[in-house]
Amino acid sequence: LKYKWNSLILTAGIRYDNVRYNKTSTFSPRFGMSFILSPITKINFAAGLFYQTPSYWMFMNPFNSKKLKHSYTEQIVAGIEHLFADDIKLTIEGYHKLYHNRPVLISAITEDSFDNRLGFTDTGEGYSTGIELFLQKKFSSNWHGTVSYSLSDSRARDFREYKNRYYPWDFDSKHGLTVVNGYKFKFDQQEWY
């Protein structure tokens, strides 16, 4: 659903998932809001729940003591968009995500080093916070491209006994830089072609 009132744009949506294997039905509401500061600049805000079925090799592991729940995140994103030209846009966003019900190897949270055949539990928790910058040049002349940079901090909760801390998660990459560019050559306008 989308509603526009003067300089304010409201967006709402919902996703429904039903998985028979673990008898899970989930509703994932999402909400967005944009405030148009000028014809070339707007501020965006979004929040929502995002459910995900665990990877099947974890989800259907025969050593799991119980059927795993779906993992989910609570997400908040805020940012600004600015058009430098009709084909050049800059987006800067900050986000915070809370993770729940993540699959964790039981051997990772017990003292016995020989219990790696006990399967998974869905007790994993964590968070991810970061900022992303995205500059895009659309294909409107001969060249196009994107430049994106992200800075993030992703941490998982340590569930071992007598531990009450967070450690860097396996997808905690801190810095990410991607540069993709393209140029269109018109060979049919060349004499040699």
Side-chain angles (χ1 to χ4, degrees), residues 58 64 68 101-109 118-125 156-157 159 167 169:
M58 299 176 183
N64 294 344
L68 300 178
N101 298 347
R102 295 285 294 179
V104 176
L105 272 169
I106 292 175
S107 61
I109 57 175
L118 294 179
F120 293 86
T121 178
D122 54 22
T123 56
E125 292 180 358
R157 186 173 168 202
F159 280 97
Y167 61 89
W169 222 329

Side-chain angles (χ1 to χ4, degrees), residues 37-44 79-92 134-136:
L37 297 176
S38 74
I40 59 171
T41 306
K42 67 179 177 178
I43 295 173
N44 299 318
I80 188 167
E81 283 182 32
H82 181 75
L83 290 172
F84 290 102
D86 288 342
D87 60 348
I88 300 175
K89 179 171 80 170
L90 173 70
T91 305
I92 301 173
F134 184 70
L135 181 64
Q136 178 184 27

Side-chain angles (χ1 to χ4, degrees), residues 14 17-18 29 48 55 64 66 72 87 91 103 108-109 115 117 122 127 135-136 153 160 162 183:
I14 192 164
D17 289 285
N18 186 319
S55 298
N64 294 344
K66 62 177 183 172
Y72 70 96
D87 60 348
T91 305
I109 57 175
D115 59 5
R117 294 182 62 84
D122 54 22
Y127 68 86
L135 181 64
Q136 178 184 27
D153 182 35
R160 292 175 296 174
Y162 310 112
Y183 189 87

Side-chain angles (χ1 to χ4, degrees), residues 16-103:
Y16 173 72
D17 289 285
N18 186 319
V19 178
R20 286 186 182 178
Y21 181 75
N22 63 354
K23 298 178 182 172
T24 297
S25 289
T26 59
F27 286 94
S28 308
R30 289 97 188 264
F31 172 76
M33 180 173 64
S34 294
F35 185 74
I36 301 170
L37 297 176
S38 74
I40 59 171
T41 306
K42 67 179 177 178
I43 295 173
N44 299 318
F45 172 80
L49 290 177
F50 294 80
Y51 282 88
Q52 184 176 16
T53 307
S55 298
Y56 280 118
W57 68 278
M58 299 176 183
F59 192 49
M60 304 181 83
N61 189 309
F63 299 108
N64 294 344
S65 60
K66 62 177 183 172
K67 292 181 180 176
L68 300 178
K69 299 175 191 170
H70 283 48
S71 58
Y72 70 96
T73 59
E74 301 169 89
Q75 300 185 18
I76 297 174
V77 180
I80 188 167
E81 283 182 32
H82 181 75
L83 290 172
F84 290 102
D86 288 342
D87 60 348
I88 300 175
K89 179 171 80 170
L90 173 70
T91 305
I92 301 173
E93 291 183 337
Y95 63 87
H96 184 69
K97 302 176 184 180
L98 296 175
Y99 292 84
H100 305 278
N101 298 347
R102 295 285 294 179

